[in-house]
Amino acid sequence: MRTTKLLAAAGTLGLALSATPALAVNGHYVGGIEGTKGPSLPPEGLYYRGYLVQYEIDSIQDDDSNDVPLDNEGSVTAFANRFIYVTDKKFLGADYGMETIIIAQRNDFDFEALGADQTESGISTVFLGPVILGWHGKQWDSVFAAGHWFDTGDFEAGNPASDGKGFGTTMLTLGGTWYFDEARDWSFSALSRYEIKTEQDDTDVTPGDSWIVEWALGKVLNNGVEVALAGYDGWQLESDSGPQTTNAKVEQHAIGAEVTFPVKAIGAQLSGAVYTEYANKNRPEGNLFRLHLTKAF
């Protein structure tokens, strides 16, 4: 029974992980990297945001959110460079902006259940977002955005540590921030991403659409530091299609805390967060640590 369960899980997870970067649900976007007030577009100007993400994998979860047998550990280290330009133009009453993201990533996996002990690194993906629309009210902000993840990394079917995914992803964004008081000290934000994938190179598999939601309940303290309860949740909404695919779908859930504070010496803002994942399905599970620095020019 143990051997049968292991072989079944390995077969399902082998297909899932060959199409799934360990950080994301089953696409390119990584939940938990934005956090507090993620849907609030900044004022007109040019901005740089650098993200440092460390994901420590403790186990691989099956379709019932149980640990797959044997030792399955690993880590992902990613550094993303994001440039945002908010113009002085308006569209549908919203501020109009655009963005690009370039990600370098290192994957180090030792998955005994899959017979995979591999390390790969390189430029994994490039995102171009020609449309960002941000609306602002007295006690609210909202955002809509659209763009595409181009898979620029190397992909090898059957190697879950590949820094490339072998497919591209069109991403649609919708979210909002609500401020509970006029001083905007208390806020709740939710930022959702809908991902639509292309067919994967070499396998002819098309990963199913997915939906990711990041949320945060934040409080600005008297010294300007903001603390928040934060989390992210992701669901694969459709099964993969193509040769040798199954009905298995990926889920990812996490809860954590975030602290954001100004770095006045350089006119920047630094944010750090830590998340613990739970109840994942058909994917790795672990802890995610994230730092991001935002600088306006």
Side-chain angles (χ1 to χ4, degrees):
M1 178 66 71
R2 174 184 167 89
T3 302
T4 301
K5 181 179 179 181
L6 173 58
L7 291 174
T12 299
L13 289 165
L15 286 170
L17 289 171
S18 70
T20 304
L23 278 168
V25 177
N26 73 327
H28 286 85
Y29 185 76
V30 178
I33 67 169
E34 290 299 341
T36 310
K37 299 175 185 174
S40 300
L41 190 68
E44 176 187 346
L46 176 64
Y47 300 85
Y48 168 77
R49 175 169 283 184
Y51 303 81
L52 180 62
V53 179
Q54 181 71 23
Y55 183 47
E56 295 294 333
I57 298 168
D58 299 326
S59 63
I60 296 177
Q61 303 297 295
D62 64 16
D63 195 53
D64 297 316
S65 297
N66 296 320
D67 289 1
V68 171
L70 304 179
D71 291 331
N72 300 290
E73 299 178 343
S75 66
V76 180
T77 304
F79 182 66
N81 299 277
R82 182 185 183 194
F83 298 90
I84 308 167
Y85 177 49
V86 182
T87 72
D88 60 354
K89 307 299 182 183
K90 294 280 189 179
F91 182 73
L92 299 178
D95 297 332
Y96 169 70
M98 59 194 74
E99 64 182 327
T100 186
I101 305 171
I102 303 171
I103 300 177
Q105 187 167 312
R106 183 179 188 273
N107 302 323
D108 185 2
F109 298 152
D110 185 3
F111 297 153
E112 290 187 6
L114 303 179
D117 184 2
Q118 297 154 318
T119 301
E120 303 287 350
S121 60
I123 302 297
S124 60
T125 52
V126 174
F127 179 77
L128 295 180
V131 177
I132 306 177
L133 299 176
W135 292 267
H136 306 283
K138 186 176 181 180
Q139 288 183 224
W140 60 270
D141 298 309
S142 62
V143 68
F144 170 82
H148 189 80
W149 293 97
F150 294 88
D151 188 53
T152 55
D154 293 328
F155 171 74
E156 180 184 351
N159 179 6
S162 296
D163 53 78
K165 286 74 178 175
F167 60 88
T169 298
T170 296
M171 186 172 75
L172 304 176
T173 297
L174 184 65
T177 301
W178 173 257
Y179 302 94
F180 294 91
D181 54 341
E182 293 186 5
R184 296 193 168 201
D185 289 336
W186 281 94
S187 68
F188 178 78
S189 58
L191 183 66
S192 67
R193 315 278 195 174
Y194 190 88
E195 292 190 310
I196 306 166
K197 294 86 176 182
T198 64
E199 185 176 89
Q200 187 175 46
D201 296 340
D202 301 332
T203 67
D204 298 326
V205 170
T206 301
D209 293 359
S210 57
W211 184 46
I212 306 100
V213 178
E214 301 170 273
W215 57 268
L217 175 64
K219 173 67 168 71
V220 179
L221 306 179
N222 292 335
N223 59 2
V225 174
E226 185 167 15
V227 295
L229 175 69
Y232 57 87
D233 301 273
W235 299 267
Q236 181 178 347
L237 303 179
E238 300 177 330
S239 299
D240 298 345
S241 61
Q244 299 181 321
T245 55
T246 71
N247 292 325
K249 298 178 183 178
V250 175
E251 283 191 29
Q252 186 179 25
H253 306 279
I255 190 167
E258 181 181 34
V259 179
T260 304
F261 58 92
V263 186
K264 296 180 180 180
I266 60 173
Q269 185 183 71
L270 182 64
S271 174
V274 57
Y275 301 90
T276 296
E277 293 184 334
Y278 63 93
N280 286 359
K281 292 184 178 182
N282 298 310
R283 57 155 290 117
E285 185 172 281
N287 300 300
L288 186 143
F289 308 89
R290 183 262 296 158
L291 289 173
H292 66 57
L293 179 71
T294 306
K295 169 68 176 173
F297 295 95

